[in-house]
Amino acid sequence: MQSMIRRCQPLLGTFVEISLAGDRDEGDLHALASLAFSEIRRIDAALSFHRADSELSRINRHALDATQSISAAMSDVLGEAMLLSRESDGLFDVTIAPSLVRIGALPDHGYRTDIDACWHDIELEHDRVRFHRPLAIDLGGIAKGYAVDQAMHVIPDDVEVCINAGGDLRMRPWRHAEVAIRLPDPAAGAVIHVEMRNAALATSVGALGDHLGAIVHPRQGEVSRDASSFSVFAASAMRADALTKIACLAPDCAALMQGFGAEVLCIDAHGRVCKFETDTKPLQRIGT
């Protein structure tokens, strides 16, 4: 007998909604949802910049003075971040934390930092990390997607699942699904419906606002003012999450996105949709 449940909890600085369906009773599905929420809480506890007792905070305090042992989760996320940093020539840079602290987007924990430090100054080797300059890393641009991926992994393959963490979304199956992307201006209250183009989707808005995070250009130190939203479809929510930041900062990143097997939709405040290609071309508006 087919059952379906939907649950929502405040996590990761947003609301996380998990929908499950399958040939199981509702009790089994609720137990699976609880397991997925527990996995998200575990990842958040380890990778949060805001938590003074997190693994990330320990690394920021001590990795300059001594090599730090790290968990598998930290190794996974930092490894992906370093790959994206290298391939984007630093447009994605986990050492952006001091700039976010300066504008009040992150709390000031008093870490020693060097304005010239960047991702090149991080030495990562499997389960160990070391800083070679005073710096602080923030995983806010990638960890939410990773948490969604890890939550997905605890759900058995015979169960249909959709996990949505404030715009970082992953579903199974996905090929014939349709998703709604909200317009960048929340006052508009409208959404655009598009076909799901990969297993995962993440959306970021360039402009800073009360309802938005900040995206800071690592090279220029300036906060993005682009009022458009950038939605990335990729094979994992972690990769899609990180690539939205690159998309916000580099409109000419189509080749990079293609190299990562990702696709980008840019939506302006009026609902005009463009796909990142060599020459940006408008896409047909599918629906509202």
Side-chain angles (χ1 to χ4, degrees):
M1 180 178 177
Q2 187 85 359
S3 299
M4 182 175 66
I5 67 163
R6 179 176 295 172
R7 289 176 56 184
C8 183
Q9 292 187 10
L11 292 167
L12 303 173
T14 185
F15 288 98
V16 178
E17 183 178 273
I18 298 179
S19 300
L20 301 176
D23 292 326
R24 296 168 177 248
D25 61 44
E26 288 191 6
D28 286 345
L29 295 182
H30 279 291
L32 288 173
S34 295
L35 188 62
F37 282 126
S38 295
E39 186 69 1
I40 291 172
R41 281 190 290 271
R42 180 183 72 84
I43 299 300
D44 185 44
L47 306 186
S48 171
F49 188 96
H50 295 265
R51 297 171 182 262
D53 61 346
S54 70
E55 180 182 2
L56 178 63
S57 293
R58 170 177 60 81
I59 292 168
N60 280 334
R61 283 193 301 269
H62 301 302
L64 179 64
D65 300 319
T67 299
Q68 298 295 302
S69 297
I70 59 175
S71 65
M74 183 65 70
S75 179
D76 287 345
V77 177
L78 268 182
E80 178 78 358
M82 298 291 279
L83 171 66
L84 289 165
S85 297
R86 183 175 66 250
E87 295 300 319
S88 68
D89 193 23
L91 273 179
F92 186 88
D93 189 346
V94 292
T95 68
I96 199 68
S99 295
L100 297 175
V101 170
R102 175 174 49 80
I103 65 174
L106 287 178
D108 188 352
H109 295 304
Y111 301 135
R112 291 178 291 161
T113 58
D114 181 342
I115 193 172
D116 294 320
C118 70
W119 67 275
H120 285 289
D121 301 306
I122 300 173
E123 180 184 346
L124 176 66
E125 186 175 351
H126 303 299
D127 61 348
R128 297 177 182 276
V129 67
R130 178 73 185 266
F131 297 166
H132 294 290
R133 275 188 175 182
L135 58 86
I137 59 177
D138 171 47
L139 301 173
I142 189 171
K144 187 166 67 168
Y146 179 76
V148 170
D149 289 333
Q150 294 306 108
M152 174 69 76
H153 292 332
V154 305
I155 306 298
D157 290 342
D158 65 302
V159 176
E160 296 182 10
V161 55
C162 179
I163 304 175
N164 187 355
D168 283 26
L169 181 148
R170 186 164 173 177
M171 62 172 58
R172 185 182 65 227
W174 58 266
R175 294 186 185 278
H176 302 294
E178 192 175 81
V179 293
I181 300 175
R182 188 172 298 279
L183 296 183
D185 182 1
V191 297
I192 289 177
H193 296 272
V194 299
E195 181 184 354
M196 190 70 176
R197 298 162 189 256
N198 210 323
L201 165 67
T203 299
S204 293
V205 178
L208 178 63
D210 292 340
H211 62 295
L212 304 168
I215 297 177
V216 177
H217 199 296
R219 300 172 192 157
Q220 302 167 2
E222 298 177 353
V223 179
S224 170
R225 303 295 179 185
D226 192 332
S228 300
S229 76
F230 298 85
S231 297
V232 176
F233 297 88
S236 72
M238 174 172 64
R239 179 156 292 178
D241 190 12
L243 288 176
T244 60
K245 285 67 183 182
I246 297 174
C248 287
L249 298 173
D252 58 348
C253 66
L256 175 67
M257 296 295 169
Q258 185 177 8
F260 279 111
E263 183 176 345
V264 186
L265 297 182
C266 174
I267 307 173
D268 69 18
H270 303 290
R272 290 187 291 261
V273 185
C274 288
K275 177 182 176 182
F276 276 33
E277 296 178 337
T278 303
D279 295 311
T280 303
K281 301 176 182 178
L283 290 180
Q284 180 181 359
R285 185 164 173 166
I286 299 175
T288 57

